[in-house]
Amino acid sequence: MKPLVLFDMDGTLLNSVPTIGECCNRALAENDLPQHPIPAYNGMVGNGMRILIERACPAGSGEALIARVIAAYDRIYTEACRQKGILYAGVPELLQKLRAQGVLTAVITNKPQPQADALSESTFAGLLDAVWGQREGLPLKPDPTLAKALIESLDAEPAAYVGDSQVDIALGKNLGVPTILMTWGSRTAGELRSADPNAVLADNAAELETLLRQRLADLRG
């Protein structure tokens, strides 16, 4: 059974909030709705596409309007995912090192699977063993159902889960897997500490690599 490092995608490996914000603003504009400053999307992402759109739409928006904005965003953002995204500094090298050491690397994300697939091809080719997104009939993170299925499909033993948000803190606890949180994502170090005073934080890829080396050593005994 190979060791596995499981990652969140947005704000953890991929600097995606600017693209998400731009695409969401385009979807809002198509429906004659007010748009948001890009930094505001840091507080909207992490819980899947529907909740993102509910947060972005004006309070009291009806279901029909929300559905139209979801459809517009899904179309616009899925196309954007076919373009190479921006990985945080040091991420490609770290993923390559892990795989060279025989460590499996995989992503579990609340993005719909078609968007995850598009990014897997455009941005993560050769860097990950699996990319799993939202699937019909299965709950989103922090429910551990999908992550457990992913781990089982790889016949792997998870050494660590790496994320960047309160959702990731909860998923790590639900999986019973040591969790490392990146401070370069959608939540500040202060927000992460408020959610979990014992959270293990990393500010950059070098710090993450050091922490993962220790987790892998612990797993191997």
Side-chain angles (χ1 to χ4, degrees), residues 31-215:
N31 288 275
D32 299 318
L33 296 173
Q35 301 172 48
H36 303 279
I38 297 301
Y41 284 97
N42 283 310
M44 299 186 199
V45 299
N47 297 92
M49 181 168 62
R50 179 178 179 85
I51 293 180
L52 166 67
I53 299 307
E54 288 177 348
R55 289 168 173 166
C57 285
S61 295
E63 179 60 34
L65 176 57
I66 289 173
R68 289 198 301 274
V69 179
I70 288 174
Y73 174 78
D74 191 20
R75 168 176 49 80
I76 294 166
Y77 184 60
T78 300
E79 181 59 34
C81 289
R82 297 191 178 102
Q83 311 303 313
K84 188 172 180 63
I86 301 171
L87 298 179
Y88 288 103
V91 162
E93 295 82 1
L94 175 57
L95 294 175
Q96 288 166 348
K97 283 182 184 178
L98 289 170
R99 299 189 78 199
Q101 295 164 8
V103 178
L104 297 171
T105 58
V107 157
I108 186 82
T109 174
N110 278 341
K111 292 182 184 299
Q113 190 64 50
Q115 295 173 5
D117 288 340
L119 281 163
S120 180
E121 294 177 9
S122 69
T123 307
F124 291 99
L127 297 177
L128 296 167
D129 293 286
V131 179
W132 282 29
Q134 177 187 359
R135 300 185 177 197
E136 187 174 354
L138 291 176
L140 297 174
K141 297 186 300 182
D143 187 285
T145 303
L146 192 62
K148 287 180 177 179
L150 171 54
I151 293 165
E152 183 178 354
S153 76
L154 293 172
D155 190 26
E157 186 172 5
Y161 173 60
V162 185
D164 77 306
S165 73
Q166 295 89 335
V167 171
D168 298 313
I169 292 172
L171 177 60
K173 290 179 178 178
N174 289 340
L175 286 172
V177 174
T179 301
I180 302 166
L181 300 166
M182 303 306 299
T183 61
W184 59 23
S186 62
R187 306 295 191 269
T188 66
E191 289 172 317
L192 296 172
R193 288 283 188 211
S194 294
D196 181 0
N198 298 314
V200 177
L201 306 183
D203 295 330
N204 53 58
E207 291 183 10
L208 175 59
E209 182 176 357
T210 298
L211 291 166
L212 288 177
R213 189 181 302 119
Q214 183 59 56
R215 297 288 188 244

